[in-house]
Amino acid sequence: MGLRHAGHPNPRVRARVPGLLLSWNTPRPSLSAAARAALLVLARDEDWGVRAEAGGALTAAHDGSSEFTDIIVGLLRDPVADVRACTAEAVAHSTARTAAVADALLALLDEDDLGTRLNAAYGLLLRDDPRTGEAIERVGPLSLPGFEHDHRLHAFWTWKWDRRERSDAE
């Protein structure tokens, strides 16, 4: 179904296509060759909403290839903040764990959007990146109204607590 609409003239229709291209019946979504090709084209779409959706799907189906990694890094550096934010959210939990992806996440810590900064730092923490401490500091205050139950902030507190406990034990 998605392949038929990948070239649709309406960007709202094209934005629905990436989710339709994935086969969710497997532990990690897989792509057919045609779906893969369509998704790579959609990741370069002129409409930012299409690119944002493609970033999430590419990240979910990341196959470890340099082609996917390069596109994901490009989306993390997209000129549109919403594309960067959507891609960072998907990448935080993903299997895309190359140095280039980690570097792109680190660059997102300068974003104005708190959610993007949270996802970037959380992605580095999950990758056990040596820059995690710096990333957490760059997020800003960890006591934020409305974020009392945020799993990312909880993970940051736990990470800091564990480091402090280790230091005290030495």
PDB file of all heavy atoms in Angstrom, residues 80-98:
ATOM      1  N   VAL A  80      15.520  21.985   9.460  1.00  0.00           N
ATOM      2  CA  VAL A  80      14.243  22.182  10.153  1.00  0.00           C
ATOM      3  C   VAL A  80      14.314  21.521  11.532  1.00  0.00           C
ATOM      4  O   VAL A  80      14.565  20.313  11.650  1.00  0.00           O
ATOM      5  CB  VAL A  80      13.066  21.612   9.324  1.00  0.00           C
ATOM      6  CG1 VAL A  80      11.756  21.740  10.077  1.00  0.00           C
ATOM      7  CG2 VAL A  80      12.995  22.299   7.967  1.00  0.00           C
ATOM      8  N   ALA A  81      14.082  22.311  12.565  1.00  0.00           N
ATOM      9  CA  ALA A  81      14.187  21.823  13.947  1.00  0.00           C
ATOM     10  C   ALA A  81      13.260  20.641  14.223  1.00  0.00           C
ATOM     11  O   ALA A  81      13.637  19.715  14.947  1.00  0.00           O
ATOM     12  CB  ALA A  81      13.892  22.956  14.927  1.00  0.00           C
ATOM     13  N   ASP A  82      12.061  20.631  13.650  1.00  0.00           N
ATOM     14  CA  ASP A  82      11.126  19.523  13.895  1.00  0.00           C
ATOM     15  C   ASP A  82      11.640  18.205  13.319  1.00  0.00           C
ATOM     16  O   ASP A  82      11.379  17.145  13.879  1.00  0.00           O
ATOM     17  CB  ASP A  82       9.745  19.845  13.334  1.00  0.00           C
ATOM     18  CG  ASP A  82       9.006  20.888  14.161  1.00  0.00           C
ATOM     19  OD1 ASP A  82       9.347  21.060  15.354  1.00  0.00           O
ATOM     20  OD2 ASP A  82       8.090  21.542  13.623  1.00  0.00           O
ATOM     21  N   VAL A  83      12.348  18.261  12.218  1.00  0.00           N
ATOM     22  CA  VAL A  83      12.942  17.037  11.648  1.00  0.00           C
ATOM     23  C   VAL A  83      14.025  16.526  12.587  1.00  0.00           C
ATOM     24  O   VAL A  83      14.081  15.324  12.891  1.00  0.00           O
ATOM     25  CB  VAL A  83      13.517  17.293  10.232  1.00  0.00           C
ATOM     26  CG1 VAL A  83      14.240  16.049   9.712  1.00  0.00           C
ATOM     27  CG2 VAL A  83      12.410  17.705   9.279  1.00  0.00           C
ATOM     28  N   ARG A  84      14.860  17.422  13.071  1.00  0.00           N
ATOM     29  CA  ARG A  84      15.915  17.029  14.019  1.00  0.00           C
ATOM     30  C   ARG A  84      15.296  16.430  15.276  1.00  0.00           C
ATOM     31  O   ARG A  84      15.757  15.405  15.782  1.00  0.00           O
ATOM     32  CB  ARG A  84      16.796  18.227  14.373  1.00  0.00           C
ATOM     33  CG  ARG A  84      17.579  18.790  13.203  1.00  0.00           C
ATOM     34  CD  ARG A  84      18.609  19.830  13.621  1.00  0.00           C
ATOM     35  NE  ARG A  84      18.084  20.964  14.354  1.00  0.00           N
ATOM     36  CZ  ARG A  84      17.646  22.095  13.818  1.00  0.00           C
ATOM     37  NH1 ARG A  84      17.640  22.239  12.493  1.00  0.00           N
ATOM     38  NH2 ARG A  84      17.228  23.093  14.580  1.00  0.00           N
ATOM     39  N   ALA A  85      14.241  17.063  15.775  1.00  0.00           N
ATOM     40  CA  ALA A  85      13.594  16.595  17.010  1.00  0.00           C
ATOM     41  C   ALA A  85      12.985  15.207  16.837  1.00  0.00           C
ATOM     42  O   ALA A  85      13.187  14.325  17.682  1.00  0.00           O
ATOM     43  CB  ALA A  85      12.518  17.595  17.440  1.00  0.00           C
ATOM     44  N   CYS A  86      12.254  14.999  15.758  1.00  0.00           N
ATOM     45  CA  CYS A  86      11.620  13.685  15.523  1.00  0.00           C
ATOM     46  C   CYS A  86      12.659  12.593  15.322  1.00  0.00           C
ATOM     47  O   CYS A  86      12.516  11.479  15.833  1.00  0.00           O
ATOM     48  CB  CYS A  86      10.699  13.752  14.307  1.00  0.00           C
ATOM     49  SG  CYS A  86       9.211  14.728  14.570  1.00  0.00           S
ATOM     50  N   THR A  87      13.703  12.923  14.592  1.00  0.00           N
ATOM     51  CA  THR A  87      14.755  11.929  14.345  1.00  0.00           C
ATOM     52  C   THR A  87      15.515  11.627  15.627  1.00  0.00           C
ATOM     53  O   THR A  87      15.818  10.460  15.909  1.00  0.00           O
ATOM     54  CB  THR A  87      15.692  12.414  13.225  1.00  0.00           C
ATOM     55  OG1 THR A  87      14.918  12.743  12.066  1.00  0.00           O
ATOM     56  CG2 THR A  87      16.700  11.339  12.857  1.00  0.00           C
ATOM     57  N   ALA A  88      15.802  12.647  16.427  1.00  0.00           N
ATOM     58  CA  ALA A  88      16.515  12.424  17.696  1.00  0.00           C
ATOM     59  C   ALA A  88      15.703  11.526  18.625  1.00  0.00           C
ATOM     60  O   ALA A  88      16.266  10.661  19.298  1.00  0.00           O
ATOM     61  CB  ALA A  88      16.811  13.755  18.381  1.00  0.00           C
ATOM     62  N   GLU A  89      14.402  11.732  18.653  1.00  0.00           N
ATOM     63  CA  GLU A  89      13.559  10.882  19.503  1.00  0.00           C
ATOM     64  C   GLU A  89      13.648   9.423  19.074  1.00  0.00           C
ATOM     65  O   GLU A  89      13.774   8.523  19.901  1.00  0.00           O
ATOM     66  CB  GLU A  89      12.110  11.363  19.446  1.00  0.00           C
ATOM     67  CG  GLU A  89      11.187  10.576  20.341  1.00  0.00           C
ATOM     68  CD  GLU A  89       9.770  11.113  20.352  1.00  0.00           C
ATOM     69  OE1 GLU A  89       9.432  12.012  19.554  1.00  0.00           O
ATOM     70  OE2 GLU A  89       8.990  10.608  21.172  1.00  0.00           O
ATOM     71  N   ALA A  90      13.612   9.190  17.763  1.00  0.00           N
ATOM     72  CA  ALA A  90      13.710   7.817  17.258  1.00  0.00           C
ATOM     73  C   ALA A  90      15.102   7.240  17.467  1.00  0.00           C
ATOM     74  O   ALA A  90      15.262   6.077  17.843  1.00  0.00           O
ATOM     75  CB  ALA A  90      13.341   7.793  15.773  1.00  0.00           C
ATOM     76  N   VAL A  91      16.123   8.044  17.250  1.00  0.00           N
ATOM     77  CA  VAL A  91      17.508   7.574  17.336  1.00  0.00           C
ATOM     78  C   VAL A  91      17.906   7.240  18.770  1.00  0.00           C
ATOM     79  O   VAL A  91      18.704   6.329  19.000  1.00  0.00           O
ATOM     80  CB  VAL A  91      18.472   8.626  16.730  1.00  0.00           C
ATOM     81  CG1 VAL A  91      19.918   8.337  17.088  1.00  0.00           C
ATOM     82  CG2 VAL A  91      18.314   8.670  15.224  1.00  0.00           C
ATOM     83  N   ALA A  92      17.344   7.946  19.741  1.00  0.00           N
ATOM     84  CA  ALA A  92      17.742   7.732  21.141  1.00  0.00           C
ATOM     85  C   ALA A  92      17.697   6.257  21.517  1.00  0.00           C
ATOM     86  O   ALA A  92      18.611   5.749  22.160  1.00  0.00           O
ATOM     87  CB  ALA A  92      16.858   8.553  22.076  1.00  0.00           C
ATOM     88  N   HIS A  93      16.671   5.550  21.096  1.00  0.00           N
ATOM     89  CA  HIS A  93      16.493   4.136  21.462  1.00  0.00           C
ATOM     90  C   HIS A  93      16.998   3.165  20.402  1.00  0.00           C
ATOM     91  O   HIS A  93      16.870   1.957  20.577  1.00  0.00           O
ATOM     92  CB  HIS A  93      15.009   3.844  21.681  1.00  0.00           C
ATOM     93  CG  HIS A  93      14.404   4.632  22.787  1.00  0.00           C
ATOM     94  ND1 HIS A  93      14.542   4.278  24.095  1.00  0.00           N
ATOM     95  CD2 HIS A  93      13.670   5.768  22.770  1.00  0.00           C
ATOM     96  CE1 HIS A  93      13.911   5.154  24.849  1.00  0.00           C
ATOM     97  NE2 HIS A  93      13.379   6.076  24.078  1.00  0.00           N
ATOM     98  N   SER A  94      17.538   3.672  19.332  1.00  0.00           N
ATOM     99  CA  SER A  94      17.805   2.828  18.163  1.00  0.00           C
ATOM    100  C   SER A  94      19.085   2.011  18.261  1.00  0.00           C
ATOM    101  O   SER A  94      19.895   2.188  19.166  1.00  0.00           O
ATOM    102  CB  SER A  94      17.867   3.702  16.910  1.00  0.00           C
ATOM    103  OG  SER A  94      19.118   4.359  16.840  1.00  0.00           O
ATOM    104  N   THR A  95      19.247   1.172  17.252  1.00  0.00           N
ATOM    105  CA  THR A  95      20.466   0.370  17.126  1.00  0.00           C
ATOM    106  C   THR A  95      21.531   1.106  16.318  1.00  0.00           C
ATOM    107  O   THR A  95      22.608   0.562  16.114  1.00  0.00           O
ATOM    108  CB  THR A  95      20.165  -0.974  16.431  1.00  0.00           C
ATOM    109  OG1 THR A  95      19.621  -0.707  15.132  1.00  0.00           O
ATOM    110  CG2 THR A  95      19.191  -1.808  17.245  1.00  0.00           C
ATOM    111  N   ALA A  96      21.221   2.325  15.876  1.00  0.00           N
ATOM    112  CA  ALA A  96      22.186   3.137  15.120  1.00  0.00           C
ATOM    113  C   ALA A  96      23.205   3.685  16.114  1.00  0.00           C
ATOM    114  O   ALA A  96      22.996   4.721  16.725  1.00  0.00           O
ATOM    115  CB  ALA A  96      21.475   4.265  14.385  1.00  0.00           C
ATOM    116  N   ARG A  97      24.295   2.979  16.301  1.00  0.00           N
ATOM    117  CA  ARG A  97      25.236   3.313  17.373  1.00  0.00           C
ATOM    118  C   ARG A  97      26.641   3.606  16.862  1.00  0.00           C
ATOM    119  O   ARG A  97      27.625   3.261  17.491  1.00  0.00           O
ATOM    120  CB  ARG A  97      25.261   2.190  18.401  1.00  0.00           C
ATOM    121  CG  ARG A  97      23.892   2.043  19.044  1.00  0.00           C
ATOM    122  CD  ARG A  97      23.869   1.015  20.135  1.00  0.00           C
ATOM    123  NE  ARG A  97      22.529   0.946  20.691  1.00  0.00           N
ATOM    124  CZ  ARG A  97      22.180   1.500  21.836  1.00  0.00           C
ATOM    125  NH1 ARG A  97      23.059   2.131  22.558  1.00  0.00           N
ATOM    126  NH2 ARG A  97      20.936   1.408  22.275  1.00  0.00           N
ATOM    127  N   THR A  98      26.714   4.253  15.723  1.00  0.00           N
ATOM    128  CA  THR A  98      28.021   4.605  15.179  1.00  0.00           C
ATOM    129  C   THR A  98      28.525   5.897  15.809  1.00  0.00           C
ATOM    130  O   THR A  98      27.765   6.656  16.414  1.00  0.00           O
ATOM    131  CB  THR A  98      27.937   4.798  13.653  1.00  0.00           C
ATOM    132  OG1 THR A  98      27.102   5.923  13.389  1.00  0.00           O
ATOM    133  CG2 THR A  98      27.385   3.554  12.956  1.00  0.00           C
TER     134      THR A  98
END
